[in-house]
Amino acid sequence: MAKPSIPQGTRDFSADVVRKRNYIFSTIKTVFELYGFEPLETPAMENLETLMGKYGEEGDKLMYKILNNGISNPKNIEKSKAGFEKVLEGKSSSDLTERALKYDLTIPFARYVAMNHGRLTFPYRRYQVQPVWRGDNPQKGRYREFTQCDADVVGSYSLINEVELASIYHEVFTKLNLTGYEIKVNSRKILTALAEVVGEENKVVAITTAIDKLDKIGIERVKEELKEKGLTGEQLELIEAYLTMNHEATGTLSNAGKLKFLKTFFEKSATGQAGIKELEFLICHIAADVNISIDVTLARGLNYYTGIIFEAKAPAEVKMGSIGGGGRYDDLTGLFDVPGIPGVGISFGVDRIYDVMTELNLFPENVQNGTRVLFFNMGEAESQFAFGIMQQLRSEGISSELYHEFSKINKQFNYAEKKQIAFAVIIGSKEIEQKYCLVKDLKTGLQEVVVFDTLAAFFKNK
RNA sequence: GUAGUCGUAGCUCAGUUGGUUAGAGCAUCAGAUUGUGAUUCUGAGGGUCGAGGGUUCGAGCCCCUUCGAUUACCCCA
């Protein structure tokens, strides 16, 4: 057996990491609950056909498909071989694989809503915190197993939902002290309108993925890319005009200013006007302290978003990029033959949030609350007695441990220090006789005498 | 999937143009010290140099393959 290891892009989480992650989870969940969302969990795996084709070509490639059981069974072997041939041609075959690990939480949620739409009360607000898997090449802030925290509202066209979801971003990031966050917002309708105005309705995706890179590669290279995709000089000029407000005046144009610009630009486009109305509603209704800005280059989830799209960005100094995203999809369950249920949702990328918070040193100290009190082991009879006292403390909700064996005091202190235990309680024969114990504060080194009866109260007051 | 950088003790890293038995700091363990530690002293353990193959009299060092980490592209949280 080679050295034990774990698959690429996956991680073990030690106690301190789990506690910090839980801190993020509970912050997010608390806010979700506060906004009236209810929890949902779905299986780690879905039927392959539920997921295939929902995330675009790239998604199909990165999805983890699960090999069927029994493919080596002699009676299946011909089928398996035929299936394998199909897979080699780039198709999928249920003879070889019919299940896959979930790739995000949105599509499984849509499947759930489609299956249960008769039973759910609409608008249905649910949140979901679960791991997802993508066979992507790991790098900074990118893992093959990571956790998403989603909140979606389905069964409502109201843009108030968008306002609420943006507020949730703000509230969560504020609670986590991630004050440098930024919410970018755009509308899929505006991107569609741009393609229309340019006269290339069927190239929406090509155009938007190109202009999405504006920040990164600059206007010239965006134009080059668009040229390669077959756009004429005239069309490029139009797109450049559209991008002007981003690339020449980044940050200097207010949301209102951008809306004004868009209104003129899309004067003759009904789709464009509809998109502008969405953004206008959101901008007008959101609280002033929410850091939200219109970004007409923002493109994401082009396979299913239809209205507003969101992206939450980490503070610029950490170079992490997106720590959350979301948007409106007006007919998501239509994919599962249940048309007419609109929805809108957002997602938090906990793993990236964790990395950002670590880099910025934002975790509060009291996140690590393991054992508070260590009872020293001063011998067999003494430890037996201490055990009784310890159980009383535990019943009062004070997390305590008894050192597992009688050994040098020195060792017991070291153990306490390593586990960052706040207090040591020493109960030896003398203390048992006189019905008190010694409590040592391991940070200050100060020591007090406390009678047994008041021990629990003593720690509660600390 | 493509490309670059890296892989030596539990951790952080030295290691000369290829040359005896691969080193340091920290950590660990034992002792000084079985009722008051975390600073001091003494000692000890710990490595198939990521794995496999090749070149060479000789490889931690050079070559190939492979795995992993990391960064960038693509895409994304």
Side-chain angles (χ1 to χ4, degrees):
Chain A
M1 186 71 192
K3 275 185 194 165
S5 63
I6 56 175
Q8 191 179 9
T10 65
R11 297 148 299 158
D12 290 320
F13 299 118
S14 56
D16 60 323
V17 179
V18 172
R19 290 200 176 107
K20 287 190 217 159
R21 285 168 62 86
N22 283 344
Y23 166 72
I24 299 174
F25 289 139
S26 68
T27 304
I28 294 173
K29 285 180 184 174
T30 305
V31 176
F32 284 167
E33 292 273 354
L34 191 64
Y35 278 72
F37 288 80
E38 51 190 80
L40 173 73
E41 291 189 16
T42 63
M45 57 182 140
E46 293 277 347
N47 291 327
L48 191 58
E49 58 174 26
T50 303
L51 304 182
M52 281 299 272
K54 308 300 195 299
Y55 307 102
E57 221 176 288
E58 194 72 14
D60 289 350
K61 263 192 235 164
L62 299 181
M63 197 181 298
Y64 279 110
K65 291 136 197 133
I66 298 167
L67 220 47
N68 289 351
N69 291 13
I71 49 172
S72 58
N73 186 321
K75 74 178 186 202
N76 292 336
I77 222 146
E78 285 311 312
K79 266 168 63 181
S80 302
K81 279 183 180 164
F84 188 64
E85 288 301 319
K86 275 178 79 179
V87 169
L88 287 182
E89 287 164 28
K91 298 170 192 163
S92 68
S93 164
S94 59
D95 291 330
L96 207 60
T97 164
E98 45 192 359
R99 283 172 289 270
L101 291 179
K102 68 176 175 242
Y103 184 84
D104 77 349
L105 301 180
T106 308
I107 296 295
F109 171 58
R111 190 234 50 202
Y112 173 83
V113 173
M115 278 174 70
N116 297 283
H117 68 279
R119 263 169 279 184
L120 295 168
T121 306
F122 290 103
Y124 173 47
R125 301 155 82 81
R126 77 82 238 227
Y127 71 88
Q128 194 169 349
V129 177
Q130 288 192 271
V132 301
W133 294 268
R134 295 181 191 180
D136 206 349
N137 221 333
Q139 53 180 274
K140 187 180 182 186
R142 183 176 301 194
Y143 307 96
R144 288 186 168 175
E145 178 183 66
F146 62 97
T147 306
Q148 289 192 325
C149 299
D150 279 29
D152 290 75
V153 185
V154 291
S156 165
Y157 288 101
S158 171
L159 287 168
I160 292 175
N161 297 311
E162 274 84 337
V163 176
E164 288 194 309
L165 292 170
S167 306
I168 286 176
Y169 269 138
H170 169 76
E171 216 156 305
V172 167
F173 291 139
T174 305
K175 281 196 169 160
L176 292 176
N177 251 318
L178 268 171
T179 45
Y181 81 89
E182 197 180 350
I183 302 169
K184 300 264 191 189
V185 66
N186 193 9
S187 171
R188 172 58 192 269
K189 293 192 178 75
I190 286 178
L191 295 169
T192 307
L194 177 67
E196 281 171 18
V197 167
V198 169
E200 298 277 2
E201 285 93 332
N202 49 359
K203 285 188 183 162
V204 189
V205 174
I207 294 172
T208 49
T209 52
I211 65 172
D212 186 42
K213 296 176 196 160
L214 180 65
D215 269 356
K216 234 180 200 172
I217 63 177
I219 182 73
E220 287 313 315
R221 287 181 54 200
V222 169
K223 281 163 76 178
E224 265 171 47
E225 195 170 325
L226 288 169
K227 213 178 217 170
E228 277 165 32
K229 286 173 178 167
L231 270 70
T232 66
E234 207 174 311
Q235 291 171 321
L236 290 180
E237 271 174 42
L238 215 47
I239 289 176
E240 191 170 1
Y242 170 85
L243 294 178
T244 309
M245 66 170 158
N246 254 68
H247 90 95
E248 269 175 15
T250 306
T252 61
L253 211 53
S254 67
N255 288 325
K258 285 176 184 168
L259 285 169
K260 199 173 156 197
F261 178 97
L262 288 169
K263 276 179 191 166
T264 316
F265 190 88
F266 290 117
E267 212 168 3
K268 291 171 192 158
S269 163
T271 316
Q273 293 298 328
I276 293 164
K277 266 193 186 159
E278 293 171 348
L279 290 174
E280 199 163 28
F281 186 94
L282 177 58
I283 296 298
C284 289
H285 285 75
I286 196 83
D289 57 344
V290 178
N291 184 12
I292 191 166
S293 60
I294 294 170
D295 179 354
V296 295
T297 67
L298 178 62
R300 50 176 307 112
L302 296 168
N303 286 288
Y304 46 82
Y305 289 140
T306 54
I308 294 262
I309 50 186
F310 294 107
E311 177 160 305
K313 302 198 78 168
E317 69 258 38
V318 291
K319 292 188 181 132
M320 183 65 78
S322 174
I323 52 174
R328 176 168 284 275
Y329 37 87
D330 271 339
D331 193 23
L332 193 64
T333 53
L335 296 167
F336 302 106
D337 292 327
V338 181
I341 302 180
V344 57
I346 55 167
S347 179
F348 287 88
V350 176
D351 304 82
R352 285 190 179 177
I353 292 173
Y354 178 93
D355 291 345
V356 170
M357 289 181 63
T358 303
E359 208 171 321
L360 297 177
N361 210 356
L362 293 181
F363 286 105
E365 253 178 54
N366 61 8
V367 164
Q368 305 296 338
N369 46 356
T371 305
R372 268 190 88 206
V373 181
L374 180 70
F375 285 79
F376 275 24
N377 192 320
M378 309 303 291
E380 198 173 327
E382 291 88 341
S383 64
Q384 214 172 347
F385 184 88
F387 189 86
I389 302 287
M390 175 177 70
Q391 289 301 72
Q392 285 173 31
L393 277 199
R394 285 174 170 168
S395 72
E396 298 278 344
I398 295 159
S399 89
S400 323
E401 275 182 63
L402 170 65
Y403 195 78
H404 67 111
E405 63 188 6
F406 178 45
S407 61
K408 285 205 270 190
I409 283 289
N410 189 329
K411 241 179 144 178
Q412 306 197 32
F413 270 120
N414 282 336
Y415 177 80
E417 196 196 355
K418 262 188 218 147
K419 287 194 67 176
Q420 296 185 44
I421 294 170
F423 297 99
V425 172
I426 299 170
I427 301 176
S429 50
K430 190 172 74 187
E431 286 80 7
I432 293 174
E433 215 172 277
Q434 308 195 11
K435 297 197 167 83
Y436 66 78
C437 53
L438 295 177
V439 178
K440 184 160 182 170
D441 184 325
L442 294 173
K443 263 198 194 118
T444 63
L446 295 176
Q447 194 164 285
E448 308 184 43
V449 171
V450 182
V451 296
F452 294 142
D453 292 343
T454 61
L455 196 57
F458 175 86
F459 286 120
K460 280 182 184 171
N461 290 330
K462 277 282 172 180

